[in-house]
């Protein structure tokens, strides 16, 4: 039986932010949510987050993912876990996690939990080249852990110890209920240190088993924005490596960012400086050019998105061509073989098979059939200043360049619109419509000369 508590009540002073630290993000996801995600596979019981600073903001973000316990004053990590004592079941193992240590892996936690029984507790430690700031692990001649000493309380000999406390531990709830009330705050920081239970355990003959993370980055904490930036790079590096292993070509794995979830087929190619947000799915043989931003979008097999395109809440069919410099806004749906070219903006636009909007157009609140051709500079005038209106363009319509389609308006199947028209009445099937002032010509026209 496992009870999980995540300490997340601190302010995070060094972030210099209005936002509580645990709501700052890595890969677009709050730190605390990362920890909850790592803990989730370990239990079906509720996970408790101990919150305090800006508790309401934190509550909102974790509301359906974790229960919360309030720690009104932050008097130290020992005091923090004490607040949660009434929630721990009698025979449970309590796993203590930190809301600002986001990259901890589920497997590491499983190994730590396996260390615990009635006569032992599990402590996750790690050797760091630079142990500065961390609690040091003190071992005796037999290499048994006897205590944890905080940086600020450590002697000169203890400061050279490189094995440090990650903070993460797994302890019998009965032991915690016995030890936590005995903590004192008689130390350099006048805080109730959770780490003092190690010495109590040792004195009582409870064995302290240490486990270690597979990678040091699993236990790195975010205390300031430099560490946040460092962890962001580690996180993105890991995602990029996974994509490479999944068979994706990343032209430069160090210039790839995913702030959400990306699912990929075979032979996907992603050029440099792309950002993926929310849920993105790329089918087989999809190619994404440089500098694209793609959010909550599904792209089917064989489609090419050229450089500098932005896609948001869009659905793209097979073998389409998009960009360069295209902007697909929410509600855009492209059927197979559609083409959206440079400087084209679409919004709530359903575009049929093989239809083309190749240059400098705005298509919004519109439905296009199959094999439609929209000439350069065509605008759907969807907004009358108050309401939005629909434009319907049926199969095989040809719209000449520089046309304004004043919605609501329908261009029926096979109709043709002459270039430079302003169309505000619907056009019947196979009809040519144009509004164009007659061309005037003045022979031998003299241009004005400079005075
Ligand atoms: C703690 C450990 C230290 C370890 C380090 C690892 C103690 C006494 N020290 O030090 O041995 O090397 O973590 O990162 O445990 N928190 C609360 N309520 C409180 C105090 C803290 O919720 O009253 C939360 C903080 O929000 C934070 C975490 O507990 O998420 C750690 O607290 P922090 O003050 O940063 O401890 P460290 O000094 O880093
Ligand atoms: Ca810390």
């Amino acid at each position: 039986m496992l009870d999980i508590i995540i300490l997340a009540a601190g302010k995070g002073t060094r972030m210099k932010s209005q936002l509580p630290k645990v709501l700052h993000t890595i890969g677009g996801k709050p730190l605390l949510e990362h920890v909850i995600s790592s803990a989730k596979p370990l239990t079906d019981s509720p996970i408790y987050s101990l919150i305090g600073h800006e508790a309401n903001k934190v509550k909102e973000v974790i509301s359906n993912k974790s229960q919360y316990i309030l720690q009104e004053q932050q008097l130290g990590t020992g005091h923090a876990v004490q607040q949660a004592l009434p929630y721990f079941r009698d025979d449970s193992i309590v796993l203590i996690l930190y809301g600002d240590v986001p990259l901890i892996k589920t497997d590491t936690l499983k190994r730590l939990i396996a260390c615990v029984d009635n006569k032992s507790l599990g402590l996750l430690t790690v050797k760091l080249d630079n142990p500065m700031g961390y609690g040091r692990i003190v071992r005796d001649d037999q290499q048994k852990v006897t205590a944890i000493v905080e940086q600020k309380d450590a002697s000169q000999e203890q400061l050279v110890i490189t094995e440090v406390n990650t903070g993460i531990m797994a302890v019998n709830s009965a032991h915690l209920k016995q030890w936590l009330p005995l903590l004192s705050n008689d130390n350099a920081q006048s805080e109730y240190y959770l780490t003092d239970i190690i010495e109590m355990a040792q004195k009582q003959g409870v064995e302290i088993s240490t486990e270690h993370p597979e990678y040091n980055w699993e236990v790195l904490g975010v205390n300031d924005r430099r560490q946040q930036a460092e962890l962001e790079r580690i996180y993105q590096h890991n995602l990029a490596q996974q994509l490479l292993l999944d068979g994706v070509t990343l032209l430069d794995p160090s210039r790839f960012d995913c702030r959400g979830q990306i699912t990929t087929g075979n032979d996907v190619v992603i050029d440099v400086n792309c950002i993926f947000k929310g849920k993105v799915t790329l089918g087989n043989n999809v190619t994404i050019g440089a500098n694209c931003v793609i959010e909550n979008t599904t792209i089917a097999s064989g489609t090419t998105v050229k450089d500098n395109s932005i896609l948001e809440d869009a659905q793209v069919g097979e073998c389409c061509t998009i960009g360069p410099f295209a902007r697909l806004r929410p509600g855009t749906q492209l059927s197979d073989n559609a083409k959206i070219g440079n400087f084209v903006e679409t919004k709530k636009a359903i575009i049929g098979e093989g239809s083309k909007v190749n240059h400098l157009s705005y298509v919004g609140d519109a439905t296009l059939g199959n094999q439609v051709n929209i000439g350069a500079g065509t605008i759907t005038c969807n907004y009358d200043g108050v309401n939005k209106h629909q434009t319907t363009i049926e199969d095989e319509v040809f719209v000449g360049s520089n046309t304004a389609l004043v919605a609501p308006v329908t261009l029926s199947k096979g109709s043709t619109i002459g270039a430079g028209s302003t169309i505000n009445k619907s056009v019947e099937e196979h009809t040519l419509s144009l509004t164009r002032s007659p061309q005037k010509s003045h022979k031998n026209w003299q241009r004005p000369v400079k005075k």
Side-chain angles (χ1 to χ4, degrees):
M1 198 164 39
L2 189 66
D3 284 321
I4 300 178
I5 171 89
I6 305 171
L7 305 191
K11 181 174 175 200
T13 312
R14 281 171 286 169
M15 295 300 282
K16 305 207 169 127
S17 172
Q18 306 281 8
L19 198 67
K21 177 163 74 179
V22 292
L23 296 189
H24 284 266
T25 59
I26 296 286
K29 179 160 130 176
L31 300 176
L32 181 52
E33 250 190 87
H34 281 275
V35 184
I36 295 171
S37 306
S38 295
K40 198 93 212 157
L42 300 169
T43 181
D44 293 324
S45 305
I47 293 169
Y48 298 101
S49 296
L50 189 94
I51 62 178
H53 178 73
E54 292 277 15
N56 284 334
K57 280 190 194 164
V58 182
K59 252 191 260 178
E60 232 172 78
V61 172
I62 60 166
S63 58
N64 53 359
K65 302 181 182 79
S66 166
Q67 309 265 35
Y68 67 89
I69 299 169
L70 212 56
Q71 183 196 26
E72 282 180 10
Q73 272 186 299
Q74 287 86 57
L75 303 179
T77 49
H79 178 261
V81 179
Q82 222 172 334
Q83 309 312 302
L85 280 184
Y87 298 83
F88 299 151
R89 290 164 293 180
D90 279 340
D91 302 319
S92 70
I93 292 171
V94 177
L95 175 65
I96 301 166
L97 300 172
Y98 291 75
D100 62 352
V101 181
L103 302 186
I104 185 71
K105 287 173 64 174
T106 309
D107 279 349
T108 301
L109 297 176
K110 276 187 190 157
R111 280 189 284 118
L112 181 69
I113 293 160
C115 294
V116 187
D117 61 32
N118 292 336
K119 290 209 164 56
S120 65
L121 65 77
L123 188 65
L124 194 68
T125 75
V126 71
K127 281 197 173 146
L128 294 181
D129 293 337
N130 176 11
M132 177 74 183
Y134 289 89
R136 307 297 204 280
I137 305 295
V138 182
R139 290 180 186 264
D140 65 13
D141 296 343
Q142 281 92 52
Q143 291 305 306
K144 281 196 167 158
V145 176
T146 55
I148 298 175
V149 183
E150 290 306 296
Q151 165 97 21
K152 287 182 179 152
D153 302 285
S155 66
Q156 284 305 318
E157 299 96 73
Q158 289 168 332
L159 282 176
V160 301
I161 299 172
T162 55
E163 187 184 8
V164 304
N165 175 30
T166 65
I168 295 171
M169 56 176 98
V171 191
N172 244 295
S173 71
H175 283 147
L176 283 177
K177 285 177 185 178
Q178 185 191 349
W179 297 330
L180 287 178
L182 304 176
L183 291 178
S184 93
N185 64 351
D186 181 15
N187 52 50
Q189 303 184 82
S190 300
E191 284 183 8
Y192 295 91
Y193 290 165
L194 176 65
T195 44
D196 285 351
I197 68 168
I198 298 301
E199 210 173 328
M200 294 180 190
Q202 197 264 338
K203 285 187 174 143
Q204 201 177 305
V206 172
E207 194 194 333
I208 294 132
S209 312
T210 51
E211 256 302 339
H212 315 286
E214 190 179 355
Y215 304 101
N216 281 8
W217 48 253
E218 291 181 58
V219 296
L220 296 180
V222 174
N223 295 300
D224 59 30
R225 303 213 191 221
R226 284 182 313 177
Q227 290 172 322
Q228 181 188 18
E230 190 187 331
L231 284 199
E232 179 75 33
R233 281 306 100 209
I234 292 167
Y235 177 82
Q236 295 299 346
H237 172 84
N238 292 346
L239 280 183
Q241 295 302 310
Q242 189 55 53
L243 283 180
L244 293 169
L245 291 174
D246 290 346
V248 173
T249 298
L250 297 176
L251 278 112
D252 183 355
S254 70
R255 283 183 287 169
F256 161 84
D257 282 87
C258 175
R259 301 174 194 154
Q261 256 184 311
I262 182 168
T263 311
T264 50
N266 293 329
D267 298 303
V268 167
V269 177
I270 300 175
D271 210 331
V272 301
N273 289 334
C274 292
I275 303 177
F276 299 89
K277 301 180 188 174
K279 236 181 154 173
V280 173
T281 304
L282 307 179
N284 296 335
N285 297 299
V286 166
T287 298
I288 310 290
N291 307 320
C292 291
V293 180
I294 301 183
E295 180 168 2
N296 291 320
T297 288
T298 299
I299 301 178
S301 301
T303 285
T304 298
V305 180
K306 295 183 181 170
D307 303 346
N308 297 299
S309 295
I310 303 197
L311 284 68
E312 183 185 355
D313 292 320
Q315 300 266 359
V316 178
E318 290 181 11
C319 301
C320 294
T321 308
I322 296 166
F325 293 100
R327 180 171 182 215
L328 272 52
R329 290 172 53 203
T332 297
Q333 289 179 34
L334 304 189
S335 300
D336 299 348
N337 299 304
K339 280 191 172 178
I340 302 294
N342 39 211
F343 307 107
V344 171
E345 174 184 347
T346 62
K347 185 215 68 172
K348 285 193 186 156
I350 297 170
I351 294 179
E353 250 186 83
S355 290
K356 298 175 188 166
V357 190
N358 271 337
H359 327 269
L360 300 155
S361 290
Y362 172 61
V363 177
D365 299 303
T367 304
L368 277 61
N370 302 334
Q371 310 300 332
V372 167
N373 189 89
I374 303 288
T378 296
I379 305 292
T380 52
C381 310
N382 58 330
Y383 187 51
D384 60 13
V386 189
N387 296 303
K388 297 275 171 70
H389 301 282
Q390 284 289 326
T391 299
T392 304
I393 302 176
E394 294 181 358
D395 295 350
E396 291 150 36
V397 166
F398 180 97
V399 177
S401 296
N402 198 28
T403 293
L405 300 170
V406 183
V409 71
T410 297
L411 310 181
S412 296
K413 185 174 167 154
S415 59
T416 303
I417 308 299
S421 296
T422 298
I423 299 295
N424 60 358
K425 291 192 212 77
S426 290
V427 177
E428 288 175 23
E429 284 190 14
H430 303 290
T431 300
L432 167 67
S433 269
L434 70 165
T435 65
R436 193 185 289 164
S437 39
Q439 182 168 337
K440 291 177 194 162
S441 296
H442 300 274
K443 281 197 172 168
N444 300 320
W445 170 251
Q446 294 290 320
R447 286 186 216 145
V449 283
K450 194 158 185 154
K451 283 178 186 154

